[in-house]
Amino acid sequence: MGRWIAAILTATLPAAAATAQTTNTAQASFCTSVESVVVACRTGGKMVSVCASKAAGPNSGYLQYRFGQPGSTEPIELVLPEYHLPPPKVATGESVPFSGGGGSWLRFARAPVAYTVYSGVGKWGPNGEVRAKGGIVVERQGKAIATLKCAGERIGELGPDWFERMGIKTNGQDFDFPD
């Protein structure tokens, strides 16, 4: 990832997430033990985690996007939002059906940049083979400037039930799953 992308991905670590940063390079997410892991995966030497308070819902708790280098003693590079707010106030997204499977996307924005975490299973392989994909799309003013694919194991609970439980909607936004 180039320095210009790294410059976009900067923020301070809020107190609630401070305990998520460890020196354990085998860590599975940036979420703390008092949070739910909504999504977590590694993208090369970095990791993305979407964490929610255990009591998160349409009018309570919080949802946060966290991105950085796992196992680093440095603060997490990006935390969105920096404060705890209920899920519908910080993200948009949906679960969508595909031939041979389905997918989900969840977008966090801090103008003019948006970060969309996605995962899906569909007939994307050669000759319509069913394949899984996931990652992060970074957009500036609606145009993709970076796509980081998840490597290895993905953790997540995104799906129609989760979106309904959290009260998260598309708010008229759309997302095209990258190849």
Side-chain angles (χ1 to χ4, degrees):
M1 180 165 50
R3 290 178 194 239
W4 60 277
I5 296 290
I8 293 170
L9 305 173
T10 57
T12 58
L13 178 66
T19 58
Q21 188 70 17
T22 71
T23 57
N24 177 4
T25 57
Q27 76 189 80
S29 79
F30 288 125
C31 303
T32 68
S33 62
V34 297
E35 297 172 321
S36 297
V37 179
V38 178
V39 174
C41 77
R42 291 185 185 242
T43 63
K46 304 286 181 157
M47 181 165 54
V48 63
S49 300
V50 175
C51 308
S53 60
K54 298 280 185 180
N59 300 306
S60 63
Y62 63 90
L63 182 69
Q64 278 187 323
Y65 171 97
R66 300 174 187 158
F67 180 86
Q69 185 172 349
S72 174
T73 57
E74 297 296 316
I76 296 173
E77 293 174 40
L78 180 66
V79 177
L80 288 178
E82 293 178 12
Y83 305 100
H84 292 166
L85 296 169
K89 293 187 184 263
V90 301
T92 56
E94 72 177 331
S95 186
V96 293
F98 294 130
S99 178
S104 297
W105 60 272
L106 190 60
R107 180 176 286 132
F108 294 81
R110 180 169 67 186
V113 181
Y115 306 85
T116 304
V117 178
Y118 69 92
S119 66
V121 175
K123 293 184 176 182
W124 297 308
N127 302 317
E129 291 175 23
V130 174
R131 297 248 170 109
K133 62 180 164 180
I136 310 160
V137 174
V138 181
E139 301 169 303
R140 180 184 294 277
Q141 298 176 331
K143 295 186 181 189
I145 59 172
T147 299
L148 308 172
K149 294 184 179 185
C150 289
E153 183 181 354
R154 287 176 223 141
I155 302 169
E157 62 175 281
L158 288 181
D161 294 341
W162 184 87
F163 282 98
E164 186 174 329
R165 217 173 47 249
M166 295 300 122
I168 293 177
K169 309 254 186 250
T170 65
N171 293 347
Q173 297 177 359
D174 202 6
F175 179 71
D176 291 324
F177 286 72
D179 291 329

